[in-house]
Amino acid sequence: MHNLNDQFVNVTKLLKFLSKNHIKTLITLHSEQMYTGSCGYALECEKWKNEGCHNCEHLLLSTGSKVDKTKYTFQQLEEAYKNFKELQFTAVSNWLAERAQQSKLLSSFNITTITNGVDTSIFNKHEVDNSFYEKFNLPKDKKIILFVNPRLQDEVKGHQFIEEISSNLPNDYCVVIVGNVPQGFIKSRECIYVGGIYDRKVLSDFYNVADKTILLSKKETFSMIIAESLCCGTPVVSFKCGGPETCFSDDYVKFVEY
């Protein structure tokens, strides 16, 4: 089971069913939702370690709701894991595995790390035709800083830093933004916004024309963006945000303080 959340399945009922019927189960952790009260990133909060989630300080950001059900969700998860003997976990980074092992809910379970994979038949270093530059109005006389983010309006992903970064770059640089946001969301003249890209081969071309990829997230459990960029031969500058520092070599990724 991968990346479950209550928006499309009742996790606790499913877990109770699997436990009751002694069905061997493997859950891959992609976020912190499976040991918190529905929080994808616990950020600085540590209630999930001991007392359990309640009175969430980042309710709307963490759960997408204005109604705080974090205590109820946490208790339901705790009940679902109780007496579950045929349950194992993997995590997409050592950072996430260590966090899960420290949690009140998962400390008694076996948790191993299996990092995400990348399809290198698509994400690889290759030449990009001039027609690609023309199609997306990309300058060939400037160095390209690439920012890829499918959820640009999520502040945890760092869109709020883009305008400041772009305005401080030398004239021979520009920022190319890949992501699905409303028109005019990014106002800087130094930015080229190309919208959402749903073809992975086209996304691979963007990584290949870039001189650097930047990751501005406050927290990431792995970061496919870093993995894909490196497979295309493009180095990355990233905030220290958790998972990536335990997955990628600093020979190819420059990690800086958030």
Side-chain angles (χ1 to χ4, degrees):
M1 306 198 303
H2 296 269
N3 208 26
L4 297 182
N5 63 64
D6 281 325
Q7 293 176 3
F8 62 86
V9 64
N10 189 314
V11 174
T12 53
K13 283 191 175 182
L14 177 57
L15 289 172
K16 288 176 181 178
F17 169 82
L18 294 169
S19 177
K20 180 181 178 180
N21 290 278
H22 305 286
I23 297 172
K24 292 183 178 180
T25 303
L26 174 65
I27 295 177
T28 299
L29 302 173
H30 292 268
S31 71
E32 300 195 270
Q33 275 185 309
M34 298 304 291
Y35 55 84
T36 65
S38 294
C39 182
Y41 302 103
L43 301 178
E44 71 278 1
C45 175
E46 294 191 343
K47 294 175 184 176
W48 50 274
K49 286 186 177 182
N50 299 304
E51 59 193 291
C53 293
H54 64 279
N55 299 330
C56 182
E57 289 90 350
H58 308 286
L59 185 63
L60 191 59
L61 175 65
S62 298
T63 69
S65 173
K66 294 182 179 180
V67 180
D68 194 338
K69 294 185 178 180
T70 54
K71 182 176 181 179
Y72 172 79
T73 302
F74 191 90
Q75 290 173 340
Q76 287 294 300
L77 270 178
E78 189 171 29
E79 183 65 25
Y81 290 137
K82 189 178 179 180
N83 302 320
F84 202 150
K85 303 299 183 185
E86 297 86 7
L87 180 60
Q88 301 247 344
F89 291 86
T90 65
V92 295
S93 65
N94 286 335
W95 176 83
L96 185 58
E98 290 168 4
R99 298 263 291 181
Q101 204 75 74
Q102 294 171 17
S103 71
K104 179 181 180 181
L105 297 185
L106 304 187
S107 59
S108 63
F109 292 100
N110 182 40
I111 304 170
T112 57
T113 300
I114 302 176
T115 56
N116 285 322
V118 179
D119 185 349
T120 53
S121 70
I122 296 174
F123 294 99
N124 53 58
K125 189 172 179 62
H126 58 264
E127 293 295 323
V128 178
D129 294 337
N130 286 334
S131 59
F132 181 83
Y133 286 85
E134 294 169 2
K135 179 179 179 179
F136 293 100
N137 295 315
L138 303 179
K140 294 204 71 174
D141 59 343
K142 290 190 176 185
K143 293 180 180 179
I144 292 175
I145 306 299
L146 183 66
F147 179 64
V148 180
N149 188 345
R151 300 201 310 274
L152 277 170
Q153 289 173 285
D154 183 350
E155 287 200 356
V156 174
K157 298 295 184 180
H159 69 81
Q160 64 271 26
F161 302 116
I162 283 292
E163 292 186 29
E164 181 182 356
I165 289 172
S166 63
S167 64
N168 281 288
L169 289 172
N171 291 332
D172 57 341
Y173 281 81
C174 71
V175 176
V176 173
I177 303 168
V178 174
N180 216 351
V181 297
Q183 191 71 26
F185 187 71
I186 303 292
K187 298 180 176 64
S188 174
R189 290 180 300 172
E190 292 82 5
C191 294
I192 299 173
Y193 169 60
V194 298
I197 300 296
Y198 304 99
D199 186 328
R200 293 192 299 162
K201 291 182 179 178
V202 176
L203 182 57
S204 177
D205 286 342
F206 273 105
Y207 286 123
N208 272 275
V209 301
D211 294 274
K212 293 284 190 297
T213 299
I214 54 175
L215 189 80
L216 304 177
S217 300
K218 189 172 186 178
K219 281 287 177 274
E220 290 285 348
T221 57
F222 174 77
S223 181
M224 286 298 294
I225 291 166
I226 293 180
E228 291 165 355
S229 182
L230 295 185
C231 285
C232 294
T234 302
V236 179
V237 179
S238 170
F239 284 137
K240 293 178 181 178
C241 53
E245 299 97 283
T246 67
C247 296
F248 303 105
S249 167
D250 55 13
D251 291 330
Y252 307 105
V253 185
K254 175 65 175 179
F255 289 107
V256 299
E257 295 298 332
Y258 183 76

